[in-house]
């Protein structure tokens, strides 16, 4: 049972790719920490009121998944050690390696008005992870590069100042590590996509989910087959249904092969609707009681601080801060 750390930004609403690529693989093991990374959400323009709402609903989702029992759920900004370690790691990370991060290249590079935080963001993420001495970081494919940077930073730090940090491994699901947009299966599904039909939100009603899947872009031809290169749209739906039902993509493809896209999409819609309904209902019940959410986050904060405090003290001493 490896100790894990992972985080999710409360920027916008949580979509199916977050669930399949990340949340579903977060296990409620003792010693594991799951964090709503609200400070990361400040790296791009934000609305304070929306941030508050999204932070609560994201926390409610993690709690509804049972991650507050066994493991711990907390808000990044509640544990000040994250920001302090981030400064120290800002002085360990290098301009060149941060400039190579694909997420920065696609969102920030060349934009004179992008925030500095968007550039240094991976070092705040490294701080999140390294404060908790964890072995594993369960994330979607798009975060692999950031976890690898975290490893490089930890190793550089350890070789210069002594063995302070545990060097973590990324853990990425074999199927579902990269869920694609329903409107363009060559792009990943993303919270920040302005087209509501490109993504399924975990808060979507049964009807809305079904409608979005029925209108998902599929490929030419009419045979249902798993072939991510030639049939990216169909393959994406097959991966979604497979991860949520536990049935292999091959078995699903065989079942729907000659029945046409309509019947196939109805089948996928049913799987997604059934998988998300109980979770949505739990989240709604929790959101009706914000004080209970805050109470549970307070328990998480205390547990996180118990790990983060001594870790940061060790770092401070190692680097020569009095
Ligand atoms: P973010 O939405 O950037 O806060 O991502 C939170 C987690 O969800 C990270 O582990 C991401 O890698 C994962 N994730 C986000 N979008 C997708 C996607 N389309 N497919 C798979 N995983 C994803
Ligand atoms: N950068 C991650 C994302 O955008 C979120 C994140 C922040 C994270 N800190 C983390 C993920 C620590 C894993 C571990 O998805």
């Amino acid at each position: 049972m490896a100790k894990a750390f992972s985080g999710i930004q409360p920027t916008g609403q949580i979509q199916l790719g977050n669930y399949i690529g990340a949340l579903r693989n977060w296990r409620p093991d003792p010693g594991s920490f799951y964090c709503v990374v609200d400070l990361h959400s400040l790296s791009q323009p934000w609305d304070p009121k929306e941030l508050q709402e999204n932070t609560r609903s994201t926390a409610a989702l993690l709690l509804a998944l049972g991650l507050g029992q066994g493991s711990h759920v907390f808000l990044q900004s509640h544990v000040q050690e994250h920001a302090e370690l981030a400064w120290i790691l800002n002085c360990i990370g290098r301009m060149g390696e941060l400039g190579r991060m694909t997420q920065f290249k696609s969102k920030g590079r060349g934009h004179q008005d992008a925030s500095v935080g968007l550039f240094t963001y991976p070092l705040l993420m490294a701080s999140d992870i390294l404060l908790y001495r964890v072995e594993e970081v369960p994330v979607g494919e798009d975060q692999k590069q950031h976890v690898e940077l975290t490893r490089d930073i930890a190793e550089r730090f350890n070789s210069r100042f002594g063995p302070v940090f545990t060097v973590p491994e990324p853990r990425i699901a074999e199927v579902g590590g990269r869920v694609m947009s329903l409107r363009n299966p060559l792009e990943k599904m993303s919270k920040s996509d302005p087209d509501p039909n490109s993504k399924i939100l975990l808060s979507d009603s049964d009807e809305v989910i079904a409608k979005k899947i029925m209108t998902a872009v599929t490929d030419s031809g009419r045979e249902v087959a798993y072939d991510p290169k030639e049939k990216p749209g169909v393959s994406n739906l097959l991966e979604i249904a497979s991860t949520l039902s536990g049935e292999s993509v091959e078995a699903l493809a065989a079942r729907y092969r000659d029945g046409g896209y309509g019947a196939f999409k109805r089948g996928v819609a049913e799987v997604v609707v059934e998988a998300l309904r109980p979770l949505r209902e739990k989240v709604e019940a929790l959101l009706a009681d914000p004080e209970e959410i805050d109470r549970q986050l307070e328990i998480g904060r205390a547990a996180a601080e118990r790990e983060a405090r001594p870790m940061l003290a060790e770092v401070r001493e190692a680097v020569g801060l009095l």
Side-chain angles (χ1 to χ4, degrees):
M1 197 169 53
K3 283 175 55 173
F5 184 99
S6 200
I8 184 162
Q9 295 190 58
T11 306
Q13 297 196 38
I14 309 304
Q15 40 86 9
L16 186 63
N18 296 129
Y19 179 65
I20 292 179
L23 301 175
R24 199 174 53 95
N25 308 310
W26 295 5
R27 303 190 199 113
D29 296 334
S32 292
F33 287 84
Y34 300 106
C35 184
V36 180
V37 292
D38 48 358
L39 296 174
H40 274 106
S41 291
L42 308 186
S43 61
Q44 288 190 286
W46 76 97
D47 174 80
K49 200 165 167 298
E50 258 173 42
L51 176 63
Q52 283 186 342
E53 282 166 10
N54 289 332
T55 301
R56 266 232 176 69
S57 60
T58 306
L61 176 61
L62 302 196
L63 295 169
L65 285 164
L67 296 169
Q69 252 99 46
S71 54
H72 309 283
V73 172
F74 70 104
L75 304 187
Q76 185 186 35
S77 67
H78 281 182
V79 179
Q80 292 173 13
E81 282 74 7
H82 291 242
E84 188 172 341
L85 180 58
W87 174 255
I88 297 174
L89 297 188
N90 265 273
C91 301
I92 303 288
R94 298 176 180 156
M95 302 287 287
E97 64 193 350
L98 287 168
R100 283 195 293 277
M101 295 293 112
T102 40
Q103 189 168 307
F104 171 71
K105 287 199 276 189
S106 66
K107 288 192 193 160
R109 195 169 61 181
H111 298 273
Q112 291 305 315
D113 55 354
S115 75
V116 175
L118 196 61
F119 183 66
T120 59
Y121 168 117
L123 294 168
L124 177 58
M125 174 162 165
S127 307
D128 298 340
I129 298 166
L130 296 176
L131 279 173
Y132 297 90
R133 305 175 205 267
V134 297
E135 288 110 32
E136 279 189 354
V137 186
V139 283
E141 186 67 49
D142 63 332
Q143 294 301 316
K144 187 168 177 220
Q145 196 186 27
H146 290 160
V147 181
E148 274 158 6
L149 176 77
T150 301
R151 291 172 57 84
D152 292 345
I153 296 285
E155 280 165 359
R156 188 177 310 148
F157 187 101
N158 287 351
S159 68
R160 176 135 180 242
F161 302 107
V164 174
F165 290 131
T166 301
V167 181
E169 299 271 355
R171 173 154 56 80
I172 294 161
E174 264 168 48
V175 181
R178 191 172 170 84
V179 175
M180 309 311 276
S181 156
L182 299 180
R183 302 309 303 168
N184 176 3
L186 302 179
E187 260 175 30
K188 70 169 185 180
M189 188 181 286
S190 163
K191 280 182 214 151
S192 54
D193 192 321
D195 181 351
N197 290 321
S198 70
K199 56 193 171 186
I200 290 171
L201 302 180
L202 297 201
S203 56
D204 280 342
S205 67
D206 293 354
E207 294 71 31
V208 169
I209 295 174
K211 194 169 133 260
K212 287 180 178 175
I213 290 179
M214 294 310 292
T215 54
V217 168
T218 30
D219 315 291
S220 55
R222 59 187 308 276
E223 194 199 2
V224 174
Y226 185 67
D227 183 346
K229 273 232 167 61
E230 298 299 321
K231 292 190 157 258
V234 168
S235 301
N236 187 39
L237 293 178
L238 278 169
E239 286 204 20
I240 290 173
S242 166
T243 52
L244 297 179
S245 67
E247 223 176 320
S248 70
V249 283
E250 292 77 18
L252 285 162
R255 166 130 47 89
Y256 290 108
R257 177 168 301 129
D258 301 316
Y261 288 161
F264 167 57
K265 286 175 164 176
R266 272 193 294 281
V268 175
E270 195 182 316
V271 168
V272 179
V273 162
E274 295 304 324
L276 296 188
R277 189 189 301 124
L279 187 56
R280 182 177 68 237
E281 287 173 355
K282 271 196 205 155
V283 173
E284 280 167 6
L286 261 172
L287 281 174
D289 188 358
E291 278 165 24
E292 173 60 17
I293 298 177
D294 291 349
R295 193 187 66 80
Q296 295 203 38
L297 287 176
E298 178 52 27
I299 295 173
R301 182 195 63 76
E305 263 183 15
R306 278 196 295 277
E307 295 271 323
R309 278 251 166 95
M311 186 67 205
L312 184 68
E314 218 181 292
V315 171
R316 291 178 53 107
E317 192 182 331
V319 300
L321 295 170
L322 284 185

